[in-house]
Amino acid sequence: METCLKGKEIEVVISPEKPVIMIGEKINPTGHKKLAAALKDEQYDYIVELANKQIGAGAHILDVNVGAPGVDEVVILPKIISLVAESVDVPICIDSGNPKALEAGLKAAPGKPLVNSVNGEEDRLQNVLPLVKDHGAAVIGLTMDDAGIPETADARLVIAGKIIERAQKVGIPLEDVVIDPLVLTVGADQNAAQVTMETIALVRKEFGVNINLGASNVSFGLPNRQTVNQAFLAMTIVVGANCMITDPMKLAGTILACDLLTGKDLYGKNYITHVRKNQ
Amino acid sequence: METCLKGKEIEVVISPEKPVIMIGEKINPTGHKKLAAALKDEQYDYIVELANKQIGAGAHILDVNVGAPGVDEVVILPKIISLVAESVDVPICIDSGNPKALEAGLKAAPGKPLVNSVNGEEDRLQNVLPLVKDHGAAVIGLTMDDAGIPETADARLVIAGKIIERAQKVGIPLEDVVIDPLVLTVGADQNAAQVTMETIALVRKEFGVNINLGASNVSFGLPNRQTVNQAFLAMTIVVGANCMITDPMKLAGTILACDLLTGKDLYGKNYITHVRKNQ
């Protein structure tokens, strides 16, 4: 199944047959003080720098989130999306918890963006899915709902099914729903990574949709998080994850190594080019 | 299925239910000039150093190979095994292509060692399996034969079956055969890693035996081999590899991260201890 996204110039296809797609996560002020300050002070050069750096490191799509204290998302999100779209040609992943900001962002984004995100919460489904449909976008569906993130893969599968059903009801085609099975911190719950891997396999088998993952949460609180994140990315790719919202400066090498190991990078051309460029 | 090995003091169990077992590969003069010279000149302090370093980095078993020009393996292999066994308490993996050296090594090794290796070659099966049986050892079976390493997982499965059958005929129990599916270089053959992963899954499903892998060959000729090796280890562990012949100084962190991610390291105790010790 192919999820086709478009930026100003570049089309990106998420598909199990193709290399893993990397969504650069760095334009997000959560835990990123310098960016939070830049947004508040309307000093946007740093954002353009973050956009270019991520593309240079191999990102195929850029996530844009401006949720920070003192920032009016409805005004600022479309502004930053336009700014990023002027600087780089890739599709945008519009990231907000505020439906009005998402709507403004959808108006500003060129091509066919990805909306981050809906989940199984009734409010979210009702308010966000029609926007996704109206703007011909695609959407990430997180396997959580009003009761939180379920502990079992079966319960996460049920939420994925609900999101897919509701998306189809408003006219969003199946291929434009990308399911994110979520991951909790393995340092706090020894089953966390396994439940995510099981969910990936179940959702792939049941619905055939593409799978996004924000993998780095798995290592929260652990030392040498990079090693845990690298191992987890490789594990989840084997079981079917094919889109990663991540820091490409840290993890593009691992993702490209995985493409090579799964036969999606003939003679290691992409991997070798990446290593030479980033050494 | 449990493969129980014993050293002078320590018992090691290879089992799908337990953490991945690391066999330290560094006592092997192939491509290791300093060690080749040390063996030739009978300067053995360096070997004791290599043994201790690997145990410190997390190795559970030590491979001992003395195959180098100017070294009489039949004399030197048992000598080095005794030396290593005096220094460390873990089981020994006796590594030689020479059956007479293996026999001498088996006499010198304490406890219940692992023999590295047999494969589907008639000569090897006839000459080595009886030694393994007579000394109550366990054995690694490589999925290759006189015709080389097969290109398909199905053909490697057939060789695994042949090795297991022949081992059982001489009285070696199934649990004392550890199959190594081998891996070729992914830079030369884009299917190399996938065929290995398929073989692991097939052999596990068909015979339930434990799976050893010398994973680092996968990255031969590529830049930044460590990233490829880390990703490949994680991928193969997901599909069923549970024993790794590797450089623990480079890859123990990744293997321990995989244990943590597969629920075999409660609260990351082993992983955290390893990171703190090796930082």
Side-chain angles (χ1 to χ4, degrees):
Chain A
M1 194 170 301
E2 296 196 341
T3 308
C4 298
L5 302 169
K6 285 189 196 108
K8 202 175 55 191
E9 300 285 342
I10 293 178
E11 183 171 294
V12 167
V13 178
I14 310 172
S15 158
E17 312 300 324
K18 292 181 184 279
V20 171
I21 294 302
M22 288 180 253
I23 305 178
E25 71 182 6
K26 299 301 289 180
I27 304 179
N28 185 332
T30 310
H32 190 154
K33 279 185 193 168
K34 186 172 172 186
L35 179 57
L39 283 165
K40 207 178 153 201
D41 304 339
E42 303 188 24
Q43 298 295 320
Y44 298 145
D45 286 358
Y46 180 54
I47 294 168
V48 173
E49 188 191 319
L50 281 175
N52 286 317
K53 254 176 84 172
Q54 292 184 93
I55 299 298
H60 303 105
I61 297 172
L62 293 186
D63 189 80
V64 178
N65 180 313
V66 300
V71 175
D72 179 352
E73 283 192 67
V74 182
V75 176
I76 303 300
L77 186 59
K79 203 166 171 175
I80 301 300
I81 286 172
S82 297
L83 177 80
V84 170
E86 273 166 36
S87 313
V88 298
D89 296 332
V90 303
I92 304 292
C93 179
I94 308 172
D95 185 357
S96 174
N98 177 339
K100 288 203 185 315
L102 284 179
E103 186 171 15
L106 279 160
K107 284 179 186 159
K112 180 182 172 188
L114 184 60
V115 169
N116 186 5
S117 56
V118 295
N119 57 43
E121 290 171 18
E122 201 46 48
D123 250 24
R124 209 67 196 154
L125 292 169
Q126 281 182 20
N127 292 322
V128 177
L129 289 178
L131 297 175
V132 172
K133 164 64 184 163
D134 288 350
H135 291 83
V139 65
I140 295 174
L142 309 176
T143 61
M144 60 178 284
D145 60 16
D146 304 87
I149 302 176
E151 277 181 27
T152 68
D154 285 336
R156 293 190 199 182
L157 178 71
V158 169
I159 298 177
K162 179 182 175 186
I163 294 168
I164 288 169
E165 192 195 327
R166 294 290 292 272
Q168 291 190 297
K169 262 195 190 155
V170 304
I172 300 168
L174 182 60
E175 63 265 26
D176 284 340
V177 181
V178 176
I179 293 296
D180 185 323
L182 296 169
V183 66
L184 295 169
T185 302
V186 79
D189 172 3
Q190 65 169 331
N191 296 316
Q194 289 177 98
V195 170
T196 299
M197 290 192 271
E198 283 166 28
T199 308
I200 293 170
L202 282 175
V203 171
R204 286 278 320 141
K205 195 179 160 199
E206 184 79 17
F207 304 112
V209 294
N210 291 306
I211 303 285
N212 179 66
L213 195 63
S216 58
N217 196 36
V218 78
S219 63
F220 187 79
L222 291 168
N224 201 356
R225 294 184 63 174
Q226 174 85 345
T227 299
V228 180
N229 292 344
Q230 287 174 315
F232 188 55
L233 279 178
M235 288 182 156
T236 59
I237 287 169
V238 168
V239 294
N242 62 348
C243 183
M244 295 288 171
I245 180 156
T246 190
D247 179 347
M249 280 79 84
K250 286 189 182 158
L251 290 166
T254 292
I255 291 171
L256 291 167
C258 290
D259 286 339
L260 173 56
L261 292 165
T262 53
K264 291 173 185 160
D265 180 14
L266 194 55
Y267 304 118
K269 191 169 160 277
N270 296 339
Y271 177 73
I272 293 167
T273 305
H274 172 84
V275 172
R276 297 223 168 113
K277 193 171 154 191
N278 291 277
Q279 249 165 356
Chain B
M1 195 171 300
E2 296 197 341
T3 308
C4 299
L5 302 169
K6 285 191 196 105
K8 202 176 52 188
E9 300 286 342
I10 294 177
E11 183 172 294
V12 167
V13 178
I14 311 172
S15 158
E17 312 300 323
K18 292 182 184 279
V20 172
I21 295 302
M22 289 179 252
I23 305 178
E25 70 182 7
K26 299 301 288 178
I27 303 179
N28 185 332
T30 310
H32 190 154
K33 280 183 194 169
K34 186 172 172 186
L35 179 57
L39 283 166
K40 207 177 152 202
D41 303 340
E42 302 188 25
Q43 298 296 321
Y44 299 143
D45 286 357
Y46 180 53
I47 295 168
V48 174
E49 188 190 320
L50 281 175
N52 286 318
K53 254 175 86 172
Q54 292 184 95
I55 299 297
H60 304 105
I61 297 172
L62 293 186
D63 189 80
V64 178
N65 180 314
V66 300
V71 175
D72 179 354
E73 284 191 67
V74 182
V75 176
I76 303 300
L77 186 59
K79 202 166 171 176
I80 301 301
I81 286 171
S82 297
L83 177 79
V84 171
E86 273 165 37
S87 314
V88 298
D89 296 330
V90 303
I92 305 291
C93 179
I94 308 171
D95 185 358
S96 175
N98 178 338
K100 288 204 185 313
L102 284 180
E103 188 172 14
L106 279 161
K107 284 179 188 159
K112 180 181 172 188
L114 183 61
V115 169
N116 185 5
S117 55
V118 295
N119 57 42
E121 290 172 18
E122 202 45 48
D123 251 24
R124 207 73 194 151
L125 293 169
Q126 281 181 20
N127 293 321
V128 176
L129 289 178
L131 298 175
V132 173
K133 164 65 184 163
D134 287 351
H135 291 82
V139 65
I140 294 174
L142 309 176
T143 60
M144 59 178 287
D145 60 16
D146 305 270
I149 302 175
E151 279 181 25
T152 68
D154 285 337
R156 293 190 199 181
L157 178 70
V158 169
I159 298 177
K162 180 182 174 186
I163 294 168
I164 288 169
E165 193 195 327
R166 295 289 294 271
Q168 290 189 298
K169 262 193 193 158
V170 304
I172 300 168
L174 181 60
E175 63 266 26
D176 283 340
V177 182
V178 176
I179 294 294
D180 185 324
L182 297 169
V183 65
L184 295 169
T185 302
V186 78
D189 173 3
Q190 65 169 332
N191 297 315
Q194 289 176 97
V195 170
T196 299
M197 290 191 270
E198 284 165 28
T199 307
I200 293 169
L202 282 175
V203 171
R204 285 278 319 144
K205 195 178 160 199
E206 184 78 18
F207 304 111
V209 294
N210 291 307
I211 303 285
N212 179 64
L213 196 63
S216 59
N217 196 36
V218 77
S219 62
F220 187 78
L222 291 168
N224 201 355
R225 293 184 63 175
Q226 173 86 344
T227 299
V228 180
N229 291 345
Q230 287 174 316
F232 189 56
L233 279 179
M235 287 181 157
T236 60
I237 287 169
V238 168
V239 294
N242 61 348
C243 183
M244 295 287 170
I245 178 157
T246 190
D247 179 347
M249 281 78 85
K250 287 188 180 158
L251 290 166
T254 292
I255 291 170
L256 291 168
C258 291
D259 286 338
L260 173 55
L261 292 165
T262 54
K264 291 172 186 161
D265 180 15
L266 195 54
Y267 304 116
K269 190 170 160 276
N270 295 340
Y271 178 74
I272 294 168
T273 305
H274 173 84
V275 172
R276 297 225 167 111
K277 193 172 156 191
N278 291 277
Q279 248 166 356

